[in-house]
Amino acid sequence: LFPAPSVPFATNSKILWPEFARHIQSMGAVRGVGGVAVNGHQGEMLSLTPQERQKVISAAREHMPAHKWVISGLAASSIAESVQQLRQIKAAGANAALVMPPFDYMPRRILARSWHGPYAYFAELADKVDLPLLIFQYPHASGLWYDTETMLRLAEIDQVIGTKHAIRHLELYAEQWEALRGKIAVLAARDAPGLLSKMMLGADGVCIGISNIATAHWANFTTLCLAHRFNEAREVFVTHLMPLISHVWSERVPRRVSYSASTKEALVQLGVFSSSHVRSPEVNVSPADIEIGRAHV
């Protein structure tokens, strides 16, 4: 399990570094956790300054056991900025970078449908900076996902070692798991009931933001699935994890607040964080959200 940790903000938007350090330490102590994936969507990476992202990496590395990994997200629109971020990620002490698609820009979206653009991008990253890379495989509905031919081409690049696989289309996930297994690590990603199906189809691990909450149960679920003890895994999932998914990470739309805000509020209710504050343009939880959290966390 690789949880994607939240970053606590005070109501004045300052990062609460001691709380973040304790959060990392507590997750690092859980059996079955292989490391953390910081500076991703759950870590509100676009709300952080470059300096804050650097400090998040160094703080995570300092407080995570030495044998467990710190993976940092990389999101940039140009190759120059991507290389610069990758160098900063390496300098801060991360073991690998989780690379988000550089095609989230209207004129480029069509390029995600062919292997040529993604391959050229990852190959140049690998050529410029010696750091392991993981592909963030976005959900199918985003229009920024990579087809199986593209994933196989990317897997040929030596520095590409894995993928956070957030595809929700189970037939496509099954196809890509069979194609990629043994070539690169496939970390299943779905903060929803569909994660159980993905794990039964096959995976090398899990990387999700909701495992900030009740990390030990998520690690136990992952360990049981990897051991093919699916009856026990289902019991853990239904008993301990589905309530969190239903009331904290529900995919029902519209949502008034982001998953970052609702997850932080759950951590407040559990005494992990002292504040669930998020930075604009994200929206803070309301008093009604807080009451719902108290009833279900």
Side-chain angles (χ1 to χ4, degrees):
L1 175 69
F2 291 84
S6 301
V7 177
F9 301 142
T11 53
N12 63 1
S13 289
K14 299 288 187 181
I15 295 176
L16 298 166
W17 292 110
E19 291 185 14
F20 181 69
R22 289 193 294 271
H23 192 36
I24 295 293
Q25 286 174 333
S26 67
M27 288 189 290
V30 174
R31 184 177 181 182
V33 167
V36 289
V38 300
N39 290 332
H41 299 153
Q42 183 58 37
E44 300 169 82
M45 67 177 302
L46 294 184
S47 295
L48 303 178
T49 67
Q51 294 76 20
E52 287 173 332
R53 291 196 293 268
Q54 288 287 93
K55 191 169 179 180
V56 163
I57 297 169
S58 59
R61 182 64 282 164
E62 178 182 354
H63 297 287
M64 180 64 47
H67 66 284
K68 298 190 177 185
W69 276 37
V70 172
I71 301 166
S72 176
L74 186 163
S77 298
S78 70
I79 189 64
E81 184 184 0
S82 298
V83 169
Q84 180 183 36
Q85 280 194 31
L86 192 56
R87 287 173 177 154
Q88 292 169 342
I89 287 168
K90 182 177 180 178
N95 300 93
L98 175 61
V99 183
M100 302 176 196
F103 305 104
D104 197 4
Y105 168 65
M106 189 60 69
R108 292 184 190 163
R109 282 180 165 259
I110 195 170
L111 298 179
R113 302 275 50 82
S114 164
W115 66 266
H116 297 83
Y119 184 87
Y121 174 73
F122 275 90
E124 188 163 357
L125 286 182
D127 181 63
K128 294 289 178 62
V129 185
D130 184 17
L131 189 71
L133 306 173
L134 291 95
I135 306 158
F136 200 142
Q137 174 68 306
Y138 273 17
H140 190 267
S142 71
L144 297 170
W145 59 283
Y146 304 131
D147 65 18
T148 304
E149 180 183 10
T150 300
M151 293 296 287
L152 283 169
R153 298 267 187 174
L154 296 180
E156 294 173 357
I157 299 171
D158 287 343
Q159 281 174 228
V160 172
I161 63 165
T163 175
K164 175 175 177 175
H165 207 294
I167 284 284
R168 298 176 181 180
H169 189 301
L170 285 176
E171 289 184 17
L172 182 57
Y173 176 80
E175 175 185 300
Q176 295 199 355
W177 162 247
E178 291 299 330
L180 296 170
R181 63 191 303 182
K183 296 181 174 67
I184 60 173
V186 177
L187 302 179
R190 183 82 195 273
D191 308 69
L195 181 65
L196 181 59
S197 298
K198 282 187 164 187
M199 295 304 289
M200 293 182 74
L201 286 168
D204 295 304
V206 172
C207 182
I208 48 174
I210 197 173
S211 60
N212 268 287
I213 314 165
T215 303
H217 286 308
W218 286 104
N220 186 29
F221 164 76
T222 302
T223 300
L224 289 169
C225 286
L226 295 180
H228 292 181
R229 294 162 61 184
F230 293 119
N231 287 335
E232 295 167 80
R234 180 189 176 278
E235 185 64 26
V236 172
F237 195 85
V238 171
T239 303
H240 299 291
L241 305 179
M242 271 300 298
L244 295 176
I245 291 170
S246 298
H247 300 291
V248 178
W249 207 277
S250 170
E251 293 182 349
R252 291 188 293 271
V253 292
R255 280 182 63 98
R256 195 188 71 83
V257 300
S258 67
Y259 298 126
S260 299
S262 58
T263 300
K264 284 184 176 182
E265 179 54 34
L267 291 169
V268 169
Q269 298 299 332
L270 292 169
V272 178
F273 287 173
S274 61
S275 168
S276 61
H277 184 75
V278 291
R279 292 173 176 173
S280 181
E282 297 202 28
V283 179
N284 284 307
V285 296
S286 68
D289 298 322
I290 292 171
E291 288 306 313
I292 291 172
R294 286 177 178 155
H296 295 105
V297 172

